[in-house]
Amino acid sequence: MEMKCDLDCQSVRQILKQHGQMHLLDFYDGLDEDKRTQLLHQIRQLDFSVMSEWIEKYVRRDVALSVPETLNPAPFYPAAGQASKQDRYQEAVKYGSNLLAAGKVAGFVVAGGQGTRLGFEGPKGDFPVSPIRSKTLFRLFAETILAAGRKYGTTPAWYVMTSPLNHEATVELFESNDYYGLARSDVFLFQQGTNPNFSFDGKILLADKGTLSTSPDGHGGSLKALYRSGAIEDMKKRGVEYISYWQIDNPLIHIFDPLFIGLHAMDGAEMSSKALIKAHPTEKVGNFCLVDGRVTVIEYSDLSDEQASRRNPDGSLVFELGSIAIHIINRTFVEKLNAQGFALPIHRAVKKIPHIDEAGNLVEPRKPNGVKLETFIFDALPLAERSIILETLRQEEFAPVKNATGDDSPEVTRRMMIERAANWIEAAGVKVPRKEDGSPDCTLEIAPSFALTKEDLAGRLDERLPVINPGVIVYLE
Ligand code: UTP
């Protein structure tokens, strides 16, 4: 055993020497047997040929992703209810509903992020978000899936991506919450990959004396993780053809929107997106563009101010569509990409990365000291042969919990959950008291079991019309 370890160690040493990463074994001699084996294993997992390129291109320098010279706005379907295409939309709703009833659509949430901005202990899915019952994000989504099961007659399977940093804690949450009422066999939890973290001079950082510092490889990593984990195989067995992708932080998401699913499927698209009209030209969301005829998301930081503020004769922005990380992805598209082999562009994030220094002391940096490398899901869009975009409304579908305070904070999300509930209730003909500034003068929460959409709610309230007085708390379930 000792001998094998020595040989292993020697060959790893050689590789590290060749790539200027010898410091990773600085504390090797002082490690116990298990830790040594783990460290060597972790190092062996790295693909140093790819790593060297990344270090040159993205770690030591910041090579900006090249933005194509000719950018055109991407065409899109306007939001439902404002459209001239009502016939097409009605047909799509029928088509999408049939796919849901046939069990051909699965839910897929990416929850492998670290949620550093929110600063919440534990997986973000356990964050209590709903305004009255303080339901967690995971619970709200599970209740939505159960409600969709009742509505369409088939409970969709739920795929949940975690990362090695939060997998155990997430599994523990599902176990201790009895899978939030879902059948255990309908939930598939799997982990994404990681990338090492680097100092600015291209050295891989150590988290402790025997462990490399790593970060999840970005939500773009989901396309490989779905395949490697066996999730795609599982979908195939179940007859799932469409993957409804969303991110853990957005409780307003309509996970199973028959209109979106139907338009995507009827148009023969491989990967599609929902989009918002941006609040202002430089809102920090990706911009939907058309590059060489392919839908492409250009990050807000890569669009020049001139491009971002360019206007059409009617005053609307030329690049008016913002990306909100809601997609329908064909199972066969993920299979095809993985079978062919594919690489998404690398994005560099400068971060404060805790690590141990040369003396073996833990350093908790106060300012950014290194680089994390990630890929993004929207970068797969140009790989799709066909891709449609459906506009949605912010107040209806997008209120992410990102920050502890201010914009995109839980306070804003809760306010938007109440606001959406108020809008739905008013649309059903019930008066909602409002304050002078127009915000609801009451606290409202609609359980997914009560209604998944405005239309569902109208149907339910026909039976039972509540009276909502100023200042009341109303929970509909
Ligand atoms: P964010 O970009 O908000 O990142 O992720 P984050 O890690 O959650 O939060 P910060 O930046 O540290 O504050 C958007 C979505 O993508 C998922 C997140 O869980 C969230 O649902 N994600 C992000 C992954 O699943 N894996 C990743 O590697 C990164």
Side-chain angles (χ1 to χ4, degrees):
M1 188 63 207
E2 192 59 39
M3 185 63 184
K4 183 174 174 294
C5 179
D6 278 345
L7 280 176
D8 261 5
C9 187
Q10 276 167 27
S11 66
V12 166
R13 220 175 263 275
Q14 199 127 36
I15 301 170
L16 293 180
K17 202 165 173 189
Q18 218 177 324
H19 293 91
Q21 303 286 354
M22 274 295 283
H23 64 284
L24 296 178
L25 296 181
D26 277 357
F27 308 103
Y28 183 82
D29 292 343
L31 300 175
D32 66 27
E33 193 71 26
D34 282 353
K35 266 285 186 192
R36 284 183 180 187
T37 313
Q38 271 174 33
L39 178 61
L40 294 183
H41 177 73
Q42 220 188 350
I43 296 171
R44 282 192 174 284
Q45 297 296 305
L46 303 175
D47 180 344
F48 277 96
S49 56
V50 175
M51 212 64 64
S52 303
E53 190 195 329
W54 286 359
I55 292 170
E56 266 329 296
K57 271 190 169 160
Y58 311 106
V59 178
R60 291 220 176 95
R61 305 179 286 149
D62 185 8
V63 178
L65 287 175
S66 60
V67 179
E69 296 225 324
T70 326
L71 287 181
N72 289 306
F76 65 100
Y77 284 103
Q82 318 176 344
S84 53
K85 303 185 169 169
Q86 282 313 325
D87 289 352
R88 178 88 179 148
Y89 281 21
Q90 274 170 16
E91 200 189 336
V93 167
K94 222 185 265 170
Y95 201 94
S97 302
N98 286 339
L99 290 173
L100 283 160
K104 294 198 179 301
V105 187
F108 173 37
V109 68
V110 290
Q114 292 173 287
T116 42
R117 284 169 290 171
L118 183 62
F120 174 65
E121 256 317 295
K124 213 191 239 189
D126 197 36
F127 187 81
V129 74
S130 79
I132 295 172
R133 291 294 167 99
S134 293
K135 288 181 191 169
T136 66
L137 288 155
F138 277 142
R139 182 169 295 284
L140 282 176
F141 299 141
E143 288 186 10
T144 299
I145 292 168
L146 284 165
R150 283 190 293 272
K151 184 167 174 177
Y152 296 102
T154 310
T155 304
W158 188 15
Y159 297 83
V160 181
M161 186 178 82
T162 64
S163 80
L165 285 77
N166 68 9
H167 185 73
E168 257 176 56
T170 306
V171 171
E172 167 61 26
L173 276 175
F174 274 78
E175 292 281 345
S176 60
N177 286 285
D178 203 13
Y179 284 71
Y180 303 97
L182 288 159
R184 201 188 167 123
S185 54
D186 285 341
V187 181
F188 191 109
L189 290 144
F190 66 98
Q191 302 184 52
Q192 67 178 116
T194 57
N195 286 328
N197 297 323
F198 300 90
S199 60
F200 290 121
D201 61 358
K203 301 273 188 245
I204 294 173
L205 292 167
L206 281 170
D208 61 44
K209 291 180 179 172
T211 317
L212 308 187
S213 164
T214 58
S215 298
D217 59 2
H219 37 69
S222 62
L223 292 172
K224 287 206 164 98
L226 275 169
Y227 193 72
R228 288 184 185 153
S229 64
I232 288 290
E233 201 47 45
D234 187 73
M235 289 178 190
K236 213 168 166 174
K237 274 195 219 132
R238 288 172 184 267
V240 169
E241 287 173 18
Y242 302 96
I243 304 169
S244 173
Y245 168 104
W246 80 99
Q247 302 191 333
I248 191 66
D249 48 31
N250 180 20
L252 291 193
I253 169 85
H254 286 289
I255 302 175
F256 302 107
D257 177 355
L259 173 63
F260 184 33
I261 297 163
L263 287 172
H264 166 91
M266 281 163 49
D267 279 4
E270 287 190 309
M271 175 169 172
S272 295
S273 316
K274 277 196 180 171
L276 289 182
I277 302 294
K278 289 190 294 181
H280 54 86
T282 50
E283 183 176 358
K284 290 185 174 175
V285 287
N287 292 270
F288 281 108
C289 301
L290 212 54
V291 177
D292 298 331
R294 301 257 171 159
V295 171
T296 305
V297 171
I298 304 286
E299 282 197 90
Y300 63 91
S301 47
D302 292 332
L303 207 62
S304 70
D305 281 352
E306 185 280 316
Q307 282 168 315
S309 335
R310 205 179 291 163
R311 297 210 177 250
N312 295 310
D314 67 1
S316 61
L317 290 170
V318 170
F319 298 105
E320 62 183 341
L321 289 184
S323 170
I324 48 171
I326 300 176
H327 301 285
I328 299 291
I329 306 170
N330 289 1
R331 189 203 76 224
T332 50
F333 179 56
V334 182
E335 282 174 328
K336 185 176 76 178
L337 289 180
N338 282 280
Q340 290 171 346
F342 73 107
L344 298 178
I346 298 288
H347 295 260
R348 171 193 212 253
V350 169
K351 298 271 180 183
K352 290 181 233 166
I353 306 169
H355 62 282
I356 57 163
D357 63 16
E358 291 129 33
N361 299 317
L362 180 67
V363 182
E364 296 267 6
R366 295 229 185 101
K367 52 182 190 121
N369 63 314
V371 173
K372 293 185 178 184
L373 300 178
E374 296 184 323
T375 60
F376 294 160
I377 187 78
F378 55 69
D379 282 325
L381 285 166
L383 305 178
E385 287 295 330
R386 231 184 114 58
S387 172
I388 62 139
I389 300 172
L390 174 63
E391 182 204 344
T392 186
L393 305 178
R394 191 182 302 266
Q395 67 271 21
E396 186 61 25
E397 208 167 355
F398 190 57
V401 181
K402 296 275 187 203
N403 303 312
T405 55
D407 290 346
D408 295 336
S409 64
E411 191 192 333
V412 176
T413 302
R414 279 186 201 114
R415 207 163 57 221
M416 290 184 71
M417 291 177 83
I418 295 170
E419 183 66 57
R420 185 176 79 173
N423 293 342
W424 287 9
I425 291 170
E426 281 170 335
V430 175
K431 196 168 159 34
V432 172
R434 288 189 178 262
K435 297 180 192 155
E436 254 173 36
D437 65 1
S439 62
D441 184 12
C442 49
T443 310
L444 307 169
E445 181 175 330
I446 300 170
S449 60
F450 192 77
L452 288 175
T453 63
K454 188 170 22 177
E455 293 73 26
D456 290 352
L457 186 88
R460 295 297 301 271
L461 292 189
D462 277 351
E463 303 154 19
R464 178 177 113 185
L465 272 184
V467 175
I468 303 180
N469 292 316
V472 296
I473 294 173
V474 178
Y475 175 64
L476 293 173
E477 96 177 306

